[in-house]
């Protein structure tokens, strides 16, 4: 392994970093809505099954590749399959997180703006057109995208230990406390029980093929799979750390956060008597309206809750964007022998430009359509429908079919020293080798 490569200081640090990558907008703006849409507790069960039997094996495959090679995605595939040109497929997984980062940073920027708005002004009841107006402006969203991406770059610039590890170790507990406070407040609102019922009451009539596909897609996105972030972070794991515990810990945190986020959001939505919405609409339109309604009762509480909420979103989005940024930086420092600061600058410039185009696609560039989508929509569809699944497939095939069973076992069990890992190795290997590729192929084909 490369001698001057930094590692995370402990197993907990690795879990915090990976959980930071996993917990993000996916948990806050998609999961709660999907749970309600697809039958409450019934969907939660599906989601847990999909996390355990599909997402976890892919996660472990990425981890095994990353830690065994001690390289970012491109170099890792070159080491594992020299001469097979697989590294070029690996290059796709260097580029895809940077595409996600570009549009993710635009949304991160909106959250920064809304955090500022909550602090300076607070939301009034006349906010209905605010979101649409704001995102179509040419300058302000760009400025916020710049701030968000700049913050991401600063953390990455500080390095694996003093930047990424330190930031995640500090922000993950903060995030948990914030979301629990908001959930407790939300549950205490009159009329909140409708939201709790929406989330938890199982409705098996909604247990459809769509729900299954939705659960799988969501677990994929939420655990940040197929884009080399898990691989790259795992390459910073110490040899004595436990890959299985890290995977279970990350998936557990991610699920717990998603559930609490549901309890933070849905009860408040129902208490305000509104229909839940998906995606940007939920966070940037429905919730500010709810904060404004709260303000009629108590201005102070409304301001505090909205500040805490948008702070949660900004931090959750930052810890995810940092992981995507690092994939690009690992590639440039390891493969192109660039300095960390030079690499950060290059990635910053590239993602800033693509992000700016995504941002402008809500305003001045809204007429530019590629394959029928705006630039923002295209980046989103391309990555979530095709590139992430492609990467997932690539990683499980490498571990299941190319790496060699003994090598995989050695890495997974720390050379036979982890007895519990040893015991379930056959099962995990079976899922990585046979189940995951088939299921991912099915998802890929349905996306077509
Ligand atoms: N998992 C993150 C979320 O839930 C998104 C993400 C995807 C982060 C891919 C990194 C890589 O928001």
């Amino acid at each position: 392994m490369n001698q001057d490569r930094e590692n995370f200081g402990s197993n907990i640090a690795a879990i915090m970093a990976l959980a930071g990558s996993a917990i993000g907008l996916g948990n806050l703006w998609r999961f709660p809505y999907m749970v309600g849409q697809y039958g409450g507790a019934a969907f939660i069960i599906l989601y847990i099954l999909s996390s355990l039997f599909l997402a976890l094996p892919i996660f472990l495959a990425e981890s095994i590749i990353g830690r065994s090679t001690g390289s970012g995605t491109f170099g890792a595939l070159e080491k594992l399959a020299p001469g097979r040109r697989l590294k070029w497929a690996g290059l796709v997984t260097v580029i895809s997180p940077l595409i996600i980062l570009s549009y993710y940073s635009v949304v991160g920027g909106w959250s920064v703006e809304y955090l500022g708005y909550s602090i300076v002004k607070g939301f009034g009841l006349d906010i209905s057109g605010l979101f649409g107006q704001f995102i179509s402006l040419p300058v302000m969203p760009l400025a916020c995208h710049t701030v968000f991406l700049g913050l991401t770059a600063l953390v990455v610039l500080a390095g694996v230990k003093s930047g990424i590890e330190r930031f995640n170790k500090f922000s993950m507990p903060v995030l948990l406390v914030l979301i629990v406070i908001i959930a407790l407040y939300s549950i205490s609102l009159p009329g909140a029980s409708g939201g709790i019922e929406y989330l938890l009451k199982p409705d098996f009539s909604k247990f459809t093929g769509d729900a299954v596909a939705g659960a799988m897609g969501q677990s994929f996105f939420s655990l940040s799979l197929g884009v080399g972030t898990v691989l790259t972070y795992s390459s910073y794991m110490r040899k004595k750390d436990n890959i299985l515990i890290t995977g279970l810990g990350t998936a557990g945190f991610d699920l717990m956060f998603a559930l609490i986020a549901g309890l933070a959001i849905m009860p408040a939505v129902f208490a305000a008597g509104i229909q839940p919405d998906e995606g940007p609409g939920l966070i940037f339109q429905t919730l500010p309206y709810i904060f404004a309604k709260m303000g009629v009762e108590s201005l102070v509480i409304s301001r505090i809750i909205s500040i805490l909420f948008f702070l949660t979103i900004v931090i959750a989005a930052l810890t995810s964007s940092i992981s995507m940024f690092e994939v690009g930086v690992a590639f440039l420092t390891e493969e192109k022998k660039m300095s960390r600061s030079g690499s950060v600058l290059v990635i910053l410039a590239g993602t800033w430009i693509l992000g700016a185009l995504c941002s402008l696609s809500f305003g001045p560039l809204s007429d530019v359509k590629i394959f029928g989508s705006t630039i923002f929509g295209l980046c989103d569809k391309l990555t979530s429908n095709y590139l992430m699944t492609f990467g997932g497939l690539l990683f499980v095939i490498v571990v299941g079919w190319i790496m060699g069973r003994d090598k995989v076992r050695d890495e997974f069990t720390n050379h036979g020293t982890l007895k519990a890992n040893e015991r379930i190795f056959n099962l995990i290997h079976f899922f990585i080798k046979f189940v995951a590729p088939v299921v991912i192929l099915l998802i890929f084909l349905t996306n077509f």
Side-chain angles (χ1 to χ4, degrees), residues 146-443:
T146 311
V147 169
F148 183 86
L149 200 58
L151 287 173
T152 306
L154 277 180
V155 176
V156 175
L157 181 65
V160 172
K161 243 202 172 99
S162 12
I164 299 174
E165 172 169 335
R166 221 164 36 157
F167 189 78
N168 280 299
K169 261 173 135 175
F170 161 78
S171 39
M172 294 325 284
V174 170
L175 268 186
L176 204 61
V177 171
L178 283 173
I179 200 76
V180 167
I181 294 177
I182 302 171
L184 288 176
Y185 174 73
S186 178
I187 295 172
S188 76
L189 293 170
S193 57
I196 300 176
E197 218 172 82
Y198 180 79
L199 281 176
L200 297 182
K201 200 169 153 206
D203 177 353
F204 289 97
S205 69
K206 292 180 180 156
F207 218 88
T208 56
D210 270 2
V212 176
M216 296 197 296
Q218 175 66 10
S219 63
F220 219 97
F221 187 80
S222 197
L223 276 181
S224 313
L225 300 176
V227 290
T229 50
V230 175
L231 193 159
T232 305
Y233 273 5
S234 299
S235 74
Y236 302 134
M237 260 169 81
R238 300 174 310 174
K239 287 288 180 195
K240 61 180 172 191
D241 291 339
N242 189 330
I243 285 186
L244 177 64
I245 296 290
T246 310
L248 285 171
T250 306
F253 264 122
D254 189 50
L255 176 70
M256 178 173 75
F257 192 89
L259 291 173
I260 305 177
L263 288 175
I265 292 171
M266 286 309 164
V269 171
F270 277 76
I274 328 180
Q275 271 304 304
D277 201 346
E278 185 191 17
L282 175 63
I283 295 212
F284 297 107
Q285 286 172 304
T286 312
L287 288 170
Y289 178 71
I290 293 170
F291 298 141
K293 269 185 105 174
M294 283 175 189
V296 177
E297 307 261 318
S298 162
L299 214 51
V300 180
I301 293 192
S302 149
R303 286 290 279 279
I304 294 177
I305 294 290
S306 69
I307 292 171
L308 294 184
F309 186 77
F310 284 107
L311 187 63
T312 308
I313 298 189
V314 170
I315 299 177
L318 267 178
T319 53
S320 295
S321 63
I322 288 166
S323 71
M324 303 181 225
F325 204 114
E326 177 64 20
V327 174
V329 169
F331 172 72
L332 293 179
T333 50
E334 287 163 17
E335 307 305 324
K336 302 285 160 217
K337 307 292 171 228
M338 287 175 64
S339 64
R340 187 165 260 276
S341 47
S343 312
V344 167
L345 263 180
V346 171
I347 302 293
L348 181 62
T351 47
W352 186 86
I353 293 172
L354 184 57
L357 294 174
C358 288
S359 179
L360 293 172
S361 76
F362 290 97
L365 298 183
S366 60
D367 289 334
V368 179
K369 296 269 162 67
I370 308 166
F371 301 119
S373 304
T374 61
I375 303 171
F376 184 101
L378 182 75
C379 289
D380 176 18
K381 258 194 222 150
L382 184 68
T383 48
S384 9
N385 291 355
Y386 307 111
L387 294 181
M388 290 187 92
T389 28
F390 170 81
L393 187 60
L394 175 70
F395 297 140
V396 289
I397 286 181
V398 167
V399 173
W401 297 87
I402 294 178
M403 237 178 115
R405 196 185 173 90
D406 290 341
K407 204 163 165 192
V408 176
R409 179 195 289 269
D410 271 352
E411 197 58 40
F412 184 69
T413 61
N414 292 1
H415 298 275
T417 53
L418 302 170
K419 293 299 167 219
N421 296 26
E422 190 78 56
R423 248 172 269 132
I424 64 161
F425 174 74
N426 287 339
L427 185 70
I428 297 280
H429 195 258
F430 175 78
F431 270 89
I432 294 178
K433 185 165 181 157
F434 298 105
V435 181
V438 173
V439 178
I440 299 173
L441 252 157
L442 282 178
I443 300 181

Side-chain angles (χ1 to χ4, degrees), residues 50-199:
S50 156
S51 300
L52 266 181
F53 295 110
L54 175 70
L56 186 66
I58 304 172
F59 185 102
L60 295 175
E62 276 203 55
S63 250
I64 287 168
I65 300 178
R67 206 196 38 185
S68 68
T69 56
S71 294
T73 41
F74 184 85
L77 294 188
E78 190 173 38
K79 281 186 192 165
L80 288 177
R84 291 215 208 193
R85 305 218 162 84
L86 256 190
K87 60 182 184 189
W88 298 110
L91 192 60
V92 173
T93 63
V94 175
I95 293 167
S96 43
L98 299 177
I99 300 177
I100 303 182
L101 175 60
S102 306
Y103 73 79
Y104 206 86
S105 164
V106 172
V107 183
W110 298 344
S111 325
V112 169
E113 159 75 12
Y114 271 60
L115 174 61
Y117 204 90
S118 313
I119 296 172
V120 177
K121 215 166 154 203
F123 299 101
L125 281 169
D126 52 345
I127 51 137
S128 66
L130 183 75
F131 181 58
Q133 269 166 25
F134 166 68
I135 60 174
S136 62
L137 292 174
V139 178
M140 197 57 186
L142 268 188
C144 296
H145 156 62
T146 311
V147 169
F148 183 86
L149 200 58
L151 287 173
T152 306
L154 277 180
V155 176
V156 175
L157 181 65
V160 172
K161 243 202 172 99
S162 12
I164 299 174
E165 172 169 335
R166 221 164 36 157
F167 189 78
N168 280 299
K169 261 173 135 175
F170 161 78
S171 39
M172 294 325 284
V174 170
L175 268 186
L176 204 61
V177 171
L178 283 173
I179 200 76
V180 167
I181 294 177
I182 302 171
L184 288 176
Y185 174 73
S186 178
I187 295 172
S188 76
L189 293 170
S193 57
I196 300 176
E197 218 172 82
Y198 180 79
L199 281 176

